[in-house]
């Protein structure tokens, strides 16, 4: 099947525990991809295939699986729900055309749903909403829809009315077909029946249908004209209007259900086919011309265009690493040669696979619009563009946030040191938000990531999957440095090394700079007058500058939000070398940074705490003592919601403290927000100057 209009590339996103995994599991089951229903609570679901996730009951590593529904092929990317893994969500959204956002009918919009929603706005991803857990005591469909409208400033359009509530919830009225759907036939809900609207709901359903007609009519002039004349729209008009409105991001159809109790999930699959875009409905992908960075190139989703594809995920697999690829234009063929322009490498694409939940099918080619896995790439990493050998294009790189927390790590037995380093390398390949560094002087190995849980998970993986037992130090804040004014300096070396003279001189300017979203935090530019030195030295100069910036001017922390400009350089025909230029450039940057008013930056976290009234005062007071700035307080149901920004350094062990302050009743979520300059007295403490 290669009718592109019948492909849906979608993700399911949600706040942790809203029911994303359960919903995904049911989607796979009803579409016949798996034959036995799994349960999150006994660790048997398919997408949570990582044992770590099963233990914790959360989804960390996303996997792409294909399923079929009606005449559509749905490529489903499982996005993680935990706050420490926001980057994973962001990365998936980048390659998706549409998303199902799952909400808890009792909680409504939660912190993480808000984050996901904002990211989906950023990447212009059309959405449908699934209000899950309608069976739960206190479930409130209208309240959840209202919170989507108010907290997310969205335009949710209700296309169903629930039948029964809480314990007795058993189906819904489909407002488009105007029929009642009861999902109680078989225990697993795989048979369901459409019928008349239950009598007691007839008035409510008619009113809701009327509201639906009106809201859809508002989306389109032609529909409005019809509506004004006939005071109603037909089912086909509603579907077409909702589809158009959803794809142009002007509305979000809302459905209700209970994944756990097998209610309403087939309707979600229908809605995916009906309302979410096919690859043909989204704008052509844009990229840069690698031969001329100022030129923008566009590629349509057409098999006749040259190949453009992005690798968005690498998953370690016993049969060889799986490189998950979204093909945007052209055709990706097995046994072909492609260009990885970003790395200036040619790559062989030996084998292609379509991934199902429990099996994979080897395929010969993947058309534009599809998501498939490649095995056998050698030099490609997450975020790289693959394109045809004669038509280079560089798609925008997937951006990853800076790591905010780090921890020393060593093998339990020193004989395992090389094994540990190899394992860490494997992990960084699969997870771009994870990094490690080996101190050249002390040999200490430091790993860094997005939060305490992230590093904890990494250590478990080292031990369990990669078989290296480790000891770790205390988690530490990953500080950064920046400068407050611009400065220029020269680095000059002229010395004897092993009987050979070495000469190079480099002058640079460093200045504060605010990167645009997605732009690297350190920018290097050359304003060298032409003909001053031979261009062969430029890469060494850039490497020297970057190396020095990486080591900071105060406490060895990487410099960010800085532009380094090469102003001048001198060479000697006899005595210059790459090493000499690299050292001279590093000296120049080092001296310039020292004169540029360097300051220490600390990561600030965005925190949301949800607490019953009784503990509000205690939680608030504790946050204040942690240097938090409360940005908003509001009510969600009977609970207070506190939004705050707080320095990560003050938030260690917060989970325990918050639990004891609220007798376990409050909950919170936290994610990196930005970097702020540290108060000088605290900075001095960090730098060991007190
Ligand atoms: P995720 O963290 O978003 O992937 O959520 P899970 O699917 O892991 O579900 C979290 C918890 O909510 C589990 O204990 C599920 O059994 C439960 N759950 C999921 N869907 C429903 C539902 O429709 N109703 C109720 N009452 N519980 C649900
Ligand atoms: Mg889950």
């Amino acid at each position: 099947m290669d009718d592109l209009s019948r492909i849906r590339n979608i993700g399911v996103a949600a706040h942790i525990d809203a029911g994303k995994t359960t919903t995904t599991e049911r989607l796979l089951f009803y579409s016949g991809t798996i034959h036995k229903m799994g349960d999150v609570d006994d660790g048997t679901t398919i997408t949570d295939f990582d044992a770590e996730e099963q233990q914790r009951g959360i989804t960390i590593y996303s996997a792409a699986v294909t399923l079929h529904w009606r005449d559509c092929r749905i490529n489903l990317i499982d996005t993680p729900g935990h706050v420490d893994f926001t980057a994973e969500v962001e990365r998936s959204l980048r390659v998706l055309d549409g998303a199902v956002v799952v909400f808890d009918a009792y909680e409504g919009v939660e912190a993480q749903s808000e984050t996901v929603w904002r990211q989906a706005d950023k990447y212009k991803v059309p959405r449908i909403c699934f209000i899950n857990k309608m069976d739960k005591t206190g479930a409130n469909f209208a309240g959840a829809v209202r919170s989507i409208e108010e907290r997310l400033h969205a335009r949710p359009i209700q296309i169903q009315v629930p039948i029964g509530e809480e314990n007795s919830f058993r189906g819904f009225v489909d407002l488009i077909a105007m029929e009642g759907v009861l999902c109680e036939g078989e225990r697993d809900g795989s048979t369901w029946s459409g019928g008349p609207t239950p009598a007691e709901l007839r008035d409510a359903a008619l009113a809701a249908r009327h509201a639906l007609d009106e809201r859809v009519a508002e989306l389109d002039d032609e529909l409005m004209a019809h509506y004004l004349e006939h005071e109603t729209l037909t089912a086909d008009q509603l579907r077409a209007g909702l589809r158009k409105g959803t794809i142009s991001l002007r509305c979000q159809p809302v459905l209700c259900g209970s994944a756990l109790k097998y209610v309403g999930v087939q309707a979600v699959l229908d809605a995916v086919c009906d309302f979410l875009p096919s690859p043909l409905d989204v704008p052509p992908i844009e990229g840069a011309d690698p031969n001329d960075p100022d030129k923008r190139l566009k590629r349509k989703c057409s098999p006749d265009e040259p190949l453009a594809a992005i690798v968005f995920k690498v998953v370690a697999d016993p049969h060889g690493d799986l490189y998950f690829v979204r093909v945007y234009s052209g055709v990706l063929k097995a046994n072909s040669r492609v260009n990885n322009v970003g790395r200036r490498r040619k790559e062989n694409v030996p084998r292609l696979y379509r991934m199902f939940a429990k099996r994979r099918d080897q395929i010969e080619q993947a058309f534009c619009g599809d998501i498939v896995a490649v095995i056998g790439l050698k030099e490609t990493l997450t975020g790289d563009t693959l394109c045809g050998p004669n038509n280079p294009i560089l798609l925008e790189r997937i951006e990853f946030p800076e790591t905010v927390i780090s921890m020393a790590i060593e093998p339990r037995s020193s004989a395992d040191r090389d094994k540990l380093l190899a394992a860490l390398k494997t992990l960084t390949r699969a997870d771009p938000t994870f990094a490690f560094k080996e101190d050249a002087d002390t040999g200490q190995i430091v790993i860094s990531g997005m939060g305490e849980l992230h590093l904890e998970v990494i250590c478990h993986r080292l031990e369990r999957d990669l078989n290296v037992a480790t000891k770790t130090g205390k988690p530490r804040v990953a500080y950064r440095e920046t400068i407050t004014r611009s400065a220029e300096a020269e680095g000059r070396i002229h010395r004897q090394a092993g009987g050979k003279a070495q000469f190079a001189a480099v002058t640079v300017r460093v200045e504060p700079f605010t990167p645009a979203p997605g732009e690297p935090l350190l920018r290097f530019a050359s304003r060298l007058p032409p003909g001053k030195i031979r261009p062969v030295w430029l890469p060494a100069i850039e490497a020297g500058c970057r190396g020095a910036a990486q080591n900071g001017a105060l406490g060895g922390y990487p410099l960010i939000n800085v532009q380094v400009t090469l102003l001048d350089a001198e060479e000697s025909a006899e005595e210059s070398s790459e090493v000499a230029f690299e050292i001279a450039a590093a000296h120049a940057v080092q001296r310039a940074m020292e004169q540029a008013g360097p300051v220490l930056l600390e990561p600030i976290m965005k925190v949301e705490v949800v607490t019953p009234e009784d503990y509000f005062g205690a939680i608030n007071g504790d946050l204040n003592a942690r240097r938090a700035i409360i940005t908003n307080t509001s009510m969600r149901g009977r609970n207070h919601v506190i939004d705050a920004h707080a320095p990560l350094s003050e938030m260690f062990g917060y989970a325990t403290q918050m639990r004891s302050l609220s007798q376990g009743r409050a909950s919170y979520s936290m994610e990196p927000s930005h970097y702020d300059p540290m108060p000088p007295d605290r900075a001095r403490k960090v730098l060991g100057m007190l």
Side-chain angles (χ1 to χ4, degrees), residues 70 174-178 212 216 223 233-246 253 270 274-275:
R70 295 191 340 209
D174 172 343
L175 293 175
I176 298 176
M178 274 316 248
L212 173 64
V216 174
L223 292 179
L233 296 178
T234 65
D236 286 344
Q237 283 174 322
L238 280 176
R239 279 193 202 98
L242 282 167
R243 177 172 185 82
K244 233 169 116 182
T246 307
D270 280 338
D274 286 338
F275 307 131

Coordinates of all heavy atoms in Angstrom, one line a residue, residues 70 174-178 212 216 223 233-246 253 270 274-275:
R70 N -8.9 0.4 9.3 CA -9.7 0.7 8.1 C -8.7 0.6 6.9 O -8.1 -0.4 6.8 CB -10.4 2.1 8.2 CG -11.4 2.1 9.3 CD -12.3 3.3 9.4 NE -11.9 4.5 8.7 CZ -12.3 5.7 9.1 NH1 -13.0 5.9 10.2 NH2 -11.9 6.8 8.5
D174 N -22.1 9.1 19.6 CA -21.3 9.7 18.6 C -22.1 10.8 17.9 O -23.1 10.6 17.3 CB -21.0 8.6 17.6 CG -20.4 9.1 16.3 OD1 -20.4 10.3 16.0 OD2 -19.8 8.2 15.5
L175 N -21.7 12.1 18.2 CA -22.5 13.2 17.8 C -22.5 13.4 16.3 O -23.4 14.1 15.7 CB -22.0 14.5 18.5 CG -22.2 14.5 20.0 CD1 -21.5 15.8 20.6 CD2 -23.7 14.5 20.4
I176 N -21.6 12.8 15.6 CA -21.5 13.0 14.1 C -22.6 12.1 13.5 O -23.4 12.5 12.7 CB -20.1 12.8 13.6 CG1 -19.2 13.8 14.2 CG2 -20.1 12.8 12.0 CD1 -17.7 13.7 13.8
A177 N -22.5 10.8 13.9 CA -23.5 9.8 13.3 C -24.8 9.9 14.1 O -25.8 9.3 13.7 CB -22.9 8.4 13.4
M178 N -24.8 10.5 15.2 CA -26.0 10.6 16.1 C -26.4 9.2 16.5 O -27.6 8.8 16.3 CB -27.1 11.4 15.5 CG -27.0 12.9 15.8 SD -26.5 13.3 17.6 CE -28.0 14.1 18.2
L212 N -22.0 21.4 18.3 CA -20.9 20.9 17.4 C -21.1 21.5 16.0 O -20.2 22.0 15.4 CB -21.0 19.4 17.3 CG -20.1 18.7 16.3 CD1 -18.7 18.9 16.6 CD2 -20.4 17.2 16.2
V216 N -18.3 23.9 14.2 CA -17.6 23.5 13.0 C -17.9 24.5 11.9 O -17.1 24.9 11.1 CB -18.0 22.1 12.6 CG1 -17.5 21.7 11.2 CG2 -17.5 21.1 13.6
L223 N -19.3 26.2 5.0 CA -20.1 25.5 6.0 C -21.0 26.4 6.7 O -22.2 26.1 7.0 CB -19.2 24.7 7.0 CG -18.4 23.6 6.4 CD1 -17.5 22.9 7.4 CD2 -19.3 22.5 5.7
L233 N -25.6 20.7 10.0 CA -24.6 20.3 9.0 C -24.8 18.7 8.8 O -25.2 18.1 9.7 CB -23.2 20.6 9.4 CG -22.8 22.0 9.5 CD1 -21.3 22.1 10.0 CD2 -22.9 22.8 8.2
T234 N -24.4 18.2 7.7 CA -24.5 16.8 7.5 C -23.3 16.1 8.1 O -22.3 16.8 8.4 CB -24.5 16.4 6.0 OG1 -23.2 16.8 5.5 CG2 -25.6 17.1 5.2
A235 N -23.3 14.8 8.3 CA -22.2 14.1 8.9 C -20.9 14.3 8.1 O -19.8 14.5 8.6 CB -22.5 12.6 9.1
D236 N -21.1 14.2 6.8 CA -19.9 14.4 5.9 C -19.3 15.8 6.0 O -18.1 15.9 6.0 CB -20.3 14.1 4.4 CG -20.5 12.6 4.2 OD1 -20.0 11.8 5.1 OD2 -21.0 12.2 3.2
Q237 N -20.2 16.7 6.1 CA -19.7 18.1 6.3 C -19.0 18.3 7.6 O -17.9 18.9 7.7 CB -20.9 19.1 6.2 CG -21.4 19.4 4.8 CD -22.6 20.2 4.8 OE1 -23.5 20.1 5.7 NE2 -22.7 21.1 3.9
L238 N -19.5 17.7 8.6 CA -18.9 17.7 9.9 C -17.5 17.1 9.9 O -16.5 17.7 10.3 CB -19.7 17.0 11.0 CG -20.9 17.8 11.6 CD1 -21.7 16.9 12.5 CD2 -20.4 19.1 12.3
R239 N -17.4 15.9 9.3 CA -16.1 15.2 9.2 C -15.1 16.1 8.4 O -14.0 16.3 8.8 CB -16.2 13.9 8.6 CG -16.7 12.9 9.6 CD -16.6 11.4 9.2 NE -17.5 10.6 10.0 CZ -18.7 10.3 9.6 NH1 -19.1 10.5 8.3 NH2 -19.5 9.6 10.4
A240 N -15.5 16.6 7.2 CA -14.6 17.3 6.4 C -14.2 18.6 7.1 O -13.0 19.0 7.1 CB -15.3 17.7 5.1
G241 N -15.2 19.3 7.8 CA -14.9 20.6 8.4 C -13.9 20.3 9.6 O -13.0 21.1 9.8
L242 N -14.2 19.3 10.4 CA -13.3 19.0 11.5 C -11.9 18.6 11.0 O -10.9 19.0 11.6 CB -13.8 17.8 12.3 CG -15.0 18.2 13.3 CD1 -15.7 16.9 13.8 CD2 -14.5 19.0 14.4
R243 N -11.8 17.9 9.9 CA -10.5 17.5 9.4 C -9.7 18.7 9.0 O -8.6 18.9 9.4 CB -10.7 16.6 8.2 CG -9.4 16.2 7.5 CD -9.5 15.1 6.4 NE -8.1 14.8 6.0 CZ -7.4 13.9 6.7 NH1 -7.8 13.3 7.7 NH2 -6.1 13.7 6.3
K244 N -10.4 19.6 8.2 CA -9.7 20.8 7.8 C -9.3 21.7 9.0 O -8.1 22.2 9.1 CB -10.7 21.6 6.9 CG -10.1 22.0 5.6 CD -11.1 22.6 4.7 CE -10.9 24.1 4.4 NZ -11.9 24.7 3.6
G245 N -10.2 21.8 10.0 CA -9.9 22.6 11.1 C -8.8 22.0 12.0 O -7.9 22.8 12.5
T246 N -8.8 20.7 12.1 CA -7.7 20.0 12.9 C -6.4 20.2 12.2 O -5.4 20.6 12.9 CB -8.0 18.5 13.1 OG1 -9.4 18.4 13.6 CG2 -7.1 17.9 14.0
P253 N -10.6 17.9 17.9 CA -11.8 17.1 18.3 C -11.5 16.4 19.6 O -10.4 15.9 19.8 CB -11.8 16.1 17.1 CG -11.1 16.7 16.0 CD -10.0 17.6 16.6
D270 N -10.6 5.6 14.7 CA -11.4 6.2 13.6 C -11.0 7.7 13.5 O -10.9 8.2 12.4 CB -12.9 6.1 13.9 CG -13.5 4.8 13.6 OD1 -12.9 4.1 12.7 OD2 -14.6 4.4 14.1
D274 N -9.8 9.9 10.4 CA -10.7 10.9 9.9 C -10.1 12.3 10.0 O -10.3 13.1 9.1 CB -12.0 10.9 10.7 CG -12.9 9.7 10.3 OD1 -12.7 9.2 9.2 OD2 -13.8 9.4 11.1
F275 N -9.4 12.6 11.1 CA -9.1 14.0 11.3 C -7.6 14.3 11.3 O -7.2 15.5 11.0 CB -9.6 14.4 12.7 CG -11.1 14.1 12.9 CD1 -11.5 13.5 14.0 CD2 -12.0 14.5 11.9 CE1 -12.9 13.2 14.2 CE2 -13.3 14.2 12.0 CZ -13.8 13.6 13.2

